[in-house]
Amino acid sequence: MFLKRFRRKRQAGYQPVVLITGCGSGIGWALMKLLLQKTNYRIIATARSKSVPIILDKFPENDRFRVYSLDVTNEAQREWLIARVSELWGKVDILINNAGISYRSVVEHMTENDELLQLRTNYLGPIGLIRLVLPMMRLRGRGKIINVSSVSGMLAMPTMASYSASKYALEGASESLWYEVRPLGINVCLIQPGFVRSNSFRNVYFTKKSNPAVCFEEAYADYYSHMNPFIEKMMNLSTSTPEHVAKIILKVIQQEDPPLWIPATFDASLFYYIRRILPRRLLLPILFWALPGARTWGQTYTQKRI
Ligand SMILES: NC(=O)c1ccc[n+]([C@@H]2O[C@H](COP(=O)([O-])OP(=O)(O)OC[C@H]3O[C@@H](n4cnc5c(N)ncnc54)[C@H](OP(=O)(O)O)[C@@H]3O)[C@@H](O)[C@H]2O)c1
């Protein structure tokens, strides 16, 4: 009661404008669906052009729901979108950087172009959108930036170096931004899902050399043949679904002053504590030991001195 008095007053009929990226599948799709059921939001759902008709087919536009094509890696498209939203509803109150891709490749098999695509999608695109919405949030003295990160932004796994690098970058920038915009009335949050039971492993990106369709280079054959099915299995075993993560994001949207880090699955909380509790000297050897077949990886190929 006492606290309620000091809460920011909401005007009657206040409908925050929520912009979501990557609504064509998974978490973005689930979140868009969930927000559509709540009448107190105006939603800008964005997706790459190939996914736009699929969304419109299921969810026709109305006076509080619009669908736009956006490839987050494209600066001109980002600018065009924010200009359109400004014309339409005058602002973005809540930005949800959800779109993301994940490369499955050892460091040696990535090319510079692969690295750039990973970073453009998971880091540079989201940061570009943040730069565009910040002035309008700053002027209004309120706003929320919700970045969908990953457990891979706190712990890195073999064959996922580039993905981890992109999420670590997003985590670092978000942490910095938290300090910068807190005095301006803007919240920054990192949603950290672990394994989510979704089709996203089907959307994994491979490089020329890491593609399972081609013969793996011998030195890394074991790594891929163990890690790919392991990750798929963990995703299938997970009790968390995109709908579960969407509900957590909705809570963050509704929360007055949400924290920066929000683990979104059980394993995300577990890994957070493992990282904090285990001494650094033990952390990596223990995790290495737990990886499938890791003790024999590259054994017939290595020149390592014993
Ligand atoms: N699933 C997991 O286990 C998991 C775990 C941790 C973190 N996450 C993170 O959660 C977020 C959502 O992933 P998800 O599980 O929902 O995977 P998903 O089903 O593969 O969805 C990813 C979405 O991102 C979109 N996208 C990819 N590149 C894009 C681009 N350049 N521009 C615009 N949109 C683009 C895809 O659009 P199209 O439909 O056009 O292809 C797709 O709709 C990602 O940031 C991911 O890193 C997922």
Side-chain angles (χ1 to χ4, degrees):
M1 184 71 187
F2 176 76
L3 278 174
K4 266 190 191 163
R5 277 185 171 205
F6 289 90
R7 276 197 190 143
R8 283 186 249 196
K9 282 206 182 121
R10 292 262 147 88
Q11 296 153 335
Y14 175 63
Q15 281 189 319
V17 176
V18 185
L19 192 162
I20 317 167
T21 65
C23 292
S25 62
I27 296 169
W29 177 278
L31 181 62
M32 168 186 69
K33 213 171 139 189
L34 184 63
L35 286 177
L36 271 170
Q37 290 158 16
K38 312 271 164 198
T39 51
N40 45 334
Y41 298 101
R42 283 175 284 176
I43 305 149
I44 304 284
T46 70
R48 280 187 289 191
S49 53
K50 68 176 171 65
S51 303
V52 168
I54 304 167
I55 298 176
L56 287 172
D57 190 41
K58 279 253 172 187
F59 306 101
E61 290 185 320
N62 60 40
D63 59 352
R64 60 173 202 92
F65 178 61
R66 290 284 193 280
V67 183
Y68 290 111
S69 168
L70 172 70
D71 180 333
V72 296
T73 63
N74 186 316
E75 188 179 8
Q77 285 187 22
R78 293 194 302 257
E79 284 171 354
W80 178 87
L81 173 80
I82 298 303
R84 282 295 299 125
V85 180
S86 302
E87 264 171 46
L88 181 70
W89 288 329
K91 58 178 182 163
V92 172
D93 293 295
I94 300 164
L95 168 67
I96 301 169
N97 275 315
N98 162 73
I101 59 167
S102 170
Y103 265 93
R104 191 74 48 74
S105 170
V106 294
V107 170
E108 205 178 314
H109 288 170
M110 292 289 285
T111 63
E112 182 134 338
N113 280 341
D114 294 321
E115 296 284 5
L116 279 173
L117 181 58
Q118 179 69 88
L119 280 174
R120 281 204 185 110
T121 313
N122 291 14
Y123 175 65
L124 294 170
I127 289 293
L129 276 174
I130 290 171
R131 270 199 305 271
L132 290 171
V133 300
L134 272 181
M136 46 181 123
M137 290 184 176
R138 198 160 38 75
L139 277 175
R140 294 172 52 78
R142 67 193 304 169
K144 246 177 217 165
I145 292 162
I146 301 178
N147 294 327
V148 181
S149 176
S150 169
V151 160
S152 296
M154 55 169 122
L155 264 178
M157 280 212 285
T159 72
M160 294 176 76
S162 185
Y163 177 66
S164 254
S166 69
K167 294 296 187 184
Y168 268 79
L170 189 64
E171 293 255 339
S174 303
E175 191 174 331
S176 211
L177 188 65
W178 185 92
Y179 294 103
E180 291 174 8
V181 297
R182 188 176 170 80
L184 310 174
I186 302 165
N187 296 109
V188 183
C189 302
L190 284 159
I191 306 291
Q192 300 168 309
F195 293 108
V196 177
R197 190 153 32 89
S198 72
N199 281 335
S200 67
F201 61 83
R202 289 189 219 289
N203 303 336
V204 162
Y205 282 54
F206 293 101
T207 66
K208 245 187 196 167
K209 287 183 171 173
S210 75
N211 195 326
V214 301
C215 203
F216 291 138
E217 255 184 43
E218 212 179 322
Y220 295 107
D222 297 342
Y223 300 57
Y224 293 127
S225 64
H226 284 99
M227 285 305 293
N228 290 349
F230 172 68
I231 293 167
E232 191 171 330
K233 190 172 150 195
M234 296 308 282
M235 281 177 153
N236 283 330
L237 284 176
S238 173
T239 51
S240 301
T241 58
E243 288 70 28
H244 165 94
V245 180
K247 277 187 195 155
I248 292 176
I249 299 177
L250 177 63
K251 270 193 198 151
V252 173
I253 289 175
Q254 291 167 334
Q255 213 172 328
E256 189 71 37
D257 190 14
L260 172 63
W261 295 288
I262 299 146
T265 56
F266 170 74
D267 55 316
S269 304
L270 184 73
F271 282 125
Y272 166 74
Y273 285 110
I274 287 178
R275 173 127 224 172
R276 287 201 66 180
I277 292 163
L278 279 182
R280 285 186 187 186
R281 204 166 42 83
L282 297 178
L283 178 73
L284 298 187
I286 288 177
L287 292 179
F288 183 78
W289 178 83
L291 288 171
R295 277 162 294 169
T296 58
W297 285 355
Q299 216 168 51
T300 50
Y301 193 84
T302 183
Q303 308 295 322
K304 183 176 158 185
R305 274 178 268 165
I306 305 170

